[in-house]
Amino acid sequence: MKNVPIGEVLKEYGYITDDHIKQALDYQKTEAGQGKRLGALLQELGFVTELQVLESLGRKLELPMINFDDYIIDLEASEKLPKQLAVKYNVLPLSQNDNRFQIAMSDPLNFYAQEDIRQIVGMPLEIYLAESATIKRLIDQNYAEVGAKLAAKQANISVEDLEVPSIELEEGEDEVPVIKLVNSLLARGYSANASDIHIEPFEKHTQVRMRIDGQIIEYVTLAKSLHSSIVARIKIMGNLDIAEKRIPQDGNFKTVIEGFNISVRVSVIPTIYGEKVVMRYLSSDTTIDKAGHFGMEPEAYEKISKMLASPNGIIYITGPTGSGKTTTLYMVLEHLAKRPVNISTIEDPVERGLPKINQMSVNVPAGLTFSVGLRALLRQDPDIIMLGETRDAETAEISVKAAITGHLVISTLHTNDAISSIVRLEDMGLAPYLVANSLVGVVAQRLVRKVCQNCAYETEPTPEEAAVIGPDIKVIKKGHGCHVCNNTGYKGRVSIHEIVLIDKTLKRMITKGADSQDMFNYAVEHQGMKTLGESAINLVRKGVTTPEEVLKVAYYSD
């Protein structure tokens, strides 16, 4: 099918008419259109879009369109194809799998380009289609990273070669390999939907790893000589002390990646082989399943809606670090901000600016802690207060007093499940009657990984898996592992919840010091509370996740 008439293909799929083709051919004879191909002329005249051309050719040539949001590009593929050739043909190397070299291109009819690339890489090509502007942007990004690594390796860069003043220069700073490397790491982490980038020093090398969908994935190994320069660059970006290497430091900075304003939290700690750096994305465009219901199932959403209707009291969202508590809090706050109320927050740090909400960031060196900030907020006549985290007894006590005096307080707490939050508050020193009178409800939340839909397959659970999910589930879904999911078998995460409402009976139980197991049994039997394990098993039943993920949240089950 080397002679594919683009005009006839577009006409076949109903995008253009014979008259459009005639106008384009007439235009081709003019000085402005001379030398241009028919497909380009049809786009230039506004008869079709590039996407329509690509979709038509894809259907005719049986070539798939690529969604880069669901594809992790292997940087080693770019090392096999010279940048000059990639730019010349506007071709992006994707990966190398099963002795086939995968590329994305915007002109699948350029068979000369395909033959040149095939001969250079020495293997058959697997072609995907993408718009030219997207390919061009990703070529620049990928080869900037490849160039930084090669330049650093060839120059044997050390701290002495890259002094800090030269890194700070704004003009031409992209010429500095370490700056290009840090920038490309940030861009790659963001495009791969990573939550954190870990830069870890070891005896003979520096390891860069990324946390994607809650799992740590090895990304690249760098020369040990680069480490100090990378740390110095990140410290400058995060406004940290570059001379201090003996104590932990925390900072943050803002940057623009793919047109989005991104906040990045920086944490630096000393290790025996140098300083380890973790950069955490605080992005505002996280994709949420069931976003209109705070990412919850209808039953859970109904319960939290009932809590939010309360005029005063405390609502806690609990779970370990990385369980999506802040994301849920922000969705709740945006919902509450639609009411005619005064909402104030104190956070560490403010991860995203919210309209109609007064946000304050903790500043411990300046003496602004959660407890100090909370006292100040109470003098501002707020209706609703969001406290980023209840860390200590003092903060918990002030929160309770605020709730009892007519404020709705929403905060997070680090506990394993919903009922444990009651015990945790009492352990902090709060009197049981204060907990009972102030607490509205508790939402325990976790994130479980979703089976990659690109490589999903159905199978029967093993006896061990059946023991976890129950004998009634006869078929489950798993992922083989592919380029879309970085060979993990999972792509994306979904939240699960365990919610307890503090009704009159539970208030009496808390005041009388009832056992936590008795309160748990009451919530299950009389409120219909679904545990985190049950919520996860329900997702296995629907083919969303796997028994392996259930084990991560059902640790308390008998």
Side-chain angles (χ1 to χ4, degrees), residues 35-109:
K36 295 180 180 179
R37 296 168 64 174
L38 182 61
L41 291 171
L42 289 166
Q43 292 176 54
E44 192 174 322
L45 292 170
F47 297 146
V48 289
T49 65
E50 182 184 15
L51 187 59
Q52 289 171 333
V53 172
L54 288 174
E55 287 176 343
S56 299
L57 287 173
R59 289 161 69 182
K60 195 70 175 178
L61 300 173
E62 297 183 347
L63 297 175
M65 295 288 294
I66 186 169
N67 181 359
F68 287 107
D69 291 337
D70 295 332
Y71 197 103
I72 297 176
I73 299 170
D74 184 357
L75 197 63
E76 291 184 4
S78 296
E79 296 176 0
K80 292 182 177 293
L81 186 69
K83 182 181 180 181
Q84 295 85 345
L85 210 61
V87 172
K88 177 182 177 182
Y89 294 130
N90 202 38
V91 168
L92 177 70
L94 298 172
S95 64
Q96 177 184 329
N97 289 316
D98 301 326
N99 292 322
R100 298 181 73 83
F101 195 78
Q102 297 178 335
I103 62 171
M105 63 189 310
S106 56
D107 184 5
L109 299 181

Side-chain angles (χ1 to χ4, degrees), residues 241-470:
D241 185 353
I242 61 172
E244 181 56 73
K245 300 181 180 180
R246 300 165 297 173
I247 61 174
Q249 296 189 67
D250 294 300
N252 57 78
F253 62 87
K254 295 184 183 296
T255 186
V256 178
I257 302 176
E258 297 182 8
F260 292 98
N261 293 314
I262 305 298
S263 295
V264 180
R265 183 189 298 170
V266 179
S267 174
V268 182
I269 63 168
T271 72
I272 58 173
Y273 294 118
E275 293 176 286
K276 177 190 173 182
V277 179
V278 175
M279 295 187 288
R280 185 171 194 184
Y281 295 95
L282 308 177
S283 58
S284 60
D285 61 334
T286 306
T287 301
I288 306 291
D289 289 359
K290 306 182 186 72
H293 284 186
F294 310 144
M296 298 178 175
E297 294 291 338
E299 185 180 343
Y301 176 71
E302 185 179 337
K303 286 185 177 181
I304 196 171
S305 296
K306 187 175 180 180
M307 292 183 198
L308 295 174
S310 176
N312 54 64
I314 301 178
I315 301 169
Y316 283 110
I317 298 178
T318 77
T321 301
S323 58
K325 299 188 299 296
T326 301
T327 301
T328 300
L329 272 178
Y330 277 12
M331 288 191 289
V332 166
L333 287 175
E334 287 180 309
H335 169 75
L336 292 173
K338 296 174 183 177
R339 304 177 185 174
V341 291
N342 177 13
I343 303 177
S344 295
T345 76
I346 178 163
E347 308 169 54
D348 183 22
V350 173
E351 298 191 8
R352 172 160 60 98
L354 300 173
K356 299 182 181 180
I357 295 175
N358 308 289
Q359 295 171 270
M360 178 167 53
S361 186
V362 166
N363 188 341
V364 176
L368 179 55
T369 61
F370 276 114
S371 56
V372 171
L374 184 52
R375 283 195 181 93
L377 286 182
L378 290 173
R379 294 192 288 270
Q380 293 278 314
D381 187 32
D383 298 298
I384 299 171
I385 298 171
M386 191 277 270
L387 195 62
E389 186 179 341
T390 301
R391 293 180 177 174
D392 51 47
E394 184 181 10
T395 306
E397 185 178 352
I398 301 170
S399 300
V400 166
K401 290 179 180 177
I404 291 174
T405 54
H407 304 86
L408 181 62
V409 180
I410 306 172
S411 185
T412 67
L413 200 63
H414 288 284
T415 59
N416 290 333
D417 55 59
I419 294 295
S420 295
S421 301
I422 299 169
V423 180
R424 173 79 175 122
L425 291 169
E426 292 176 353
D427 287 344
M428 284 183 172
L430 293 179
Y433 77 91
L434 286 176
V435 175
N437 288 328
S438 62
L439 199 57
V440 174
V442 183
V443 179
Q445 177 169 309
R446 295 290 189 281
L447 295 176
V448 294
R449 294 183 294 170
K450 298 191 295 184
V451 175
C452 173
Q453 294 305 305
N454 188 65
C455 61
Y457 67 96
E458 292 187 344
T459 184
E460 293 182 4
T462 64
E464 293 79 10
E465 291 171 335
V468 174
I469 61 177

Side-chain angles (χ1 to χ4, degrees), residues 466-532:
V468 174
I469 61 177
D472 62 311
I473 302 178
K474 304 299 183 183
V475 178
I476 61 174
K477 273 190 177 181
K478 292 185 177 181
H480 284 291
C482 63
H483 62 272
V484 172
C485 60
N486 203 32
N487 293 315
T488 63
Y490 297 94
K491 181 67 177 177
R493 291 187 289 178
V494 63
S495 59
I496 56 174
H497 303 88
E498 175 182 299
I499 300 179
V500 58
L501 294 167
I502 309 302
D503 57 18
K504 291 180 180 179
T505 301
L506 274 176
K507 286 181 186 292
R508 286 196 297 268
M509 294 177 77
I510 295 169
T511 303
K512 292 179 180 180
D515 183 76
S516 60
Q517 187 61 48
D518 292 337
M519 291 188 283
F520 176 85
N521 292 339
Y522 171 81
V524 171
E525 294 169 11
H526 296 276
Q527 293 186 2
M529 182 184 77
K530 286 186 178 178
T531 66
L532 291 167

Side-chain angles (χ1 to χ4, degrees), residues 9-308:
V9 172
L10 290 169
K11 191 174 72 168
E12 178 184 343
Y13 293 118
Y15 288 122
I16 61 171
T17 64
D18 286 328
D19 184 55
H20 291 142
I21 296 175
K22 182 179 183 302
Q23 289 184 54
L25 291 174
D26 290 341
Y27 182 54
Q28 194 176 38
K29 298 172 183 177
T30 66
E31 186 176 348
Q34 197 169 12
K36 295 180 180 179
R37 296 168 64 174
L38 182 61
L41 291 171
L42 289 166
Q43 292 176 54
E44 192 174 322
L45 292 170
F47 297 146
V48 289
T49 65
E50 182 184 15
L51 187 59
Q52 289 171 333
V53 172
L54 288 174
E55 287 176 343
S56 299
L57 287 173
R59 289 161 69 182
K60 195 70 175 178
L61 300 173
E62 297 183 347
L63 297 175
M65 295 288 294
I66 186 169
N67 181 359
F68 287 107
D69 291 337
D70 295 332
Y71 197 103
I72 297 176
I73 299 170
D74 184 357
L75 197 63
E76 291 184 4
S78 296
E79 296 176 0
K80 292 182 177 293
L81 186 69
K83 182 181 180 181
Q84 295 85 345
L85 210 61
V87 172
K88 177 182 177 182
Y89 294 130
N90 202 38
V91 168
L92 177 70
L94 298 172
S95 64
Q96 177 184 329
N97 289 316
D98 301 326
N99 292 322
R100 298 181 73 83
F101 195 78
Q102 297 178 335
I103 62 171
M105 63 189 310
S106 56
D107 184 5
L109 299 181
N110 191 339
F111 300 105
Y112 294 108
Q114 295 173 29
E115 184 61 23
D116 277 358
I117 294 168
R118 188 189 64 77
Q119 291 192 15
I120 287 174
V121 300
M123 60 185 72
L125 301 182
E126 186 175 328
I127 298 170
Y128 293 82
L129 303 182
E131 293 177 275
S132 56
T134 303
I135 291 177
K136 184 179 185 303
R137 174 176 57 80
L138 290 173
I139 286 174
D140 291 340
Q141 176 181 309
N142 279 21
Y143 281 96
E145 191 166 341
V146 171
K149 288 170 60 180
L150 292 177
K153 184 177 180 181
Q154 293 168 0
N156 193 24
I157 294 173
S158 64
V159 184
E160 292 73 26
D161 296 323
L162 283 176
E163 297 178 358
V164 171
S166 67
I167 295 177
E168 288 181 296
L169 293 177
E170 294 184 2
E171 293 186 5
E173 69 172 6
D174 280 342
E175 298 303 314
V176 181
V178 166
I179 292 177
K180 294 173 72 175
L181 183 54
V182 172
N183 290 347
S184 64
L185 285 176
L186 287 166
R188 179 54 64 92
Y190 182 75
S191 65
N193 200 30
S195 59
D196 312 273
I197 298 177
H198 296 247
I199 300 172
E200 304 167 323
F202 294 100
E203 184 177 6
K204 296 181 180 179
H205 66 275
T206 289
Q207 184 72 49
V208 178
R209 302 195 294 172
M210 297 184 181
R211 187 177 295 278
I212 301 174
D213 293 336
Q215 295 293 109
I216 285 285
I217 305 294
E218 290 192 7
Y219 176 57
V220 69
T221 300
L222 302 175
K224 179 70 173 178
S225 57
L226 279 172
H227 187 78
S228 296
S229 301
I230 293 171
V231 173
R233 171 60 184 168
I234 294 171
K235 281 184 173 181
I236 289 169
M237 296 170 73
N239 198 27
L240 303 179
D241 185 353
I242 61 172
E244 181 56 73
K245 300 181 180 180
R246 300 165 297 173
I247 61 174
Q249 296 189 67
D250 294 300
N252 57 78
F253 62 87
K254 295 184 183 296
T255 186
V256 178
I257 302 176
E258 297 182 8
F260 292 98
N261 293 314
I262 305 298
S263 295
V264 180
R265 183 189 298 170
V266 179
S267 174
V268 182
I269 63 168
T271 72
I272 58 173
Y273 294 118
E275 293 176 286
K276 177 190 173 182
V277 179
V278 175
M279 295 187 288
R280 185 171 194 184
Y281 295 95
L282 308 177
S283 58
S284 60
D285 61 334
T286 306
T287 301
I288 306 291
D289 289 359
K290 306 182 186 72
H293 284 186
F294 310 144
M296 298 178 175
E297 294 291 338
E299 185 180 343
Y301 176 71
E302 185 179 337
K303 286 185 177 181
I304 196 171
S305 296
K306 187 175 180 180
M307 292 183 198
L308 295 174

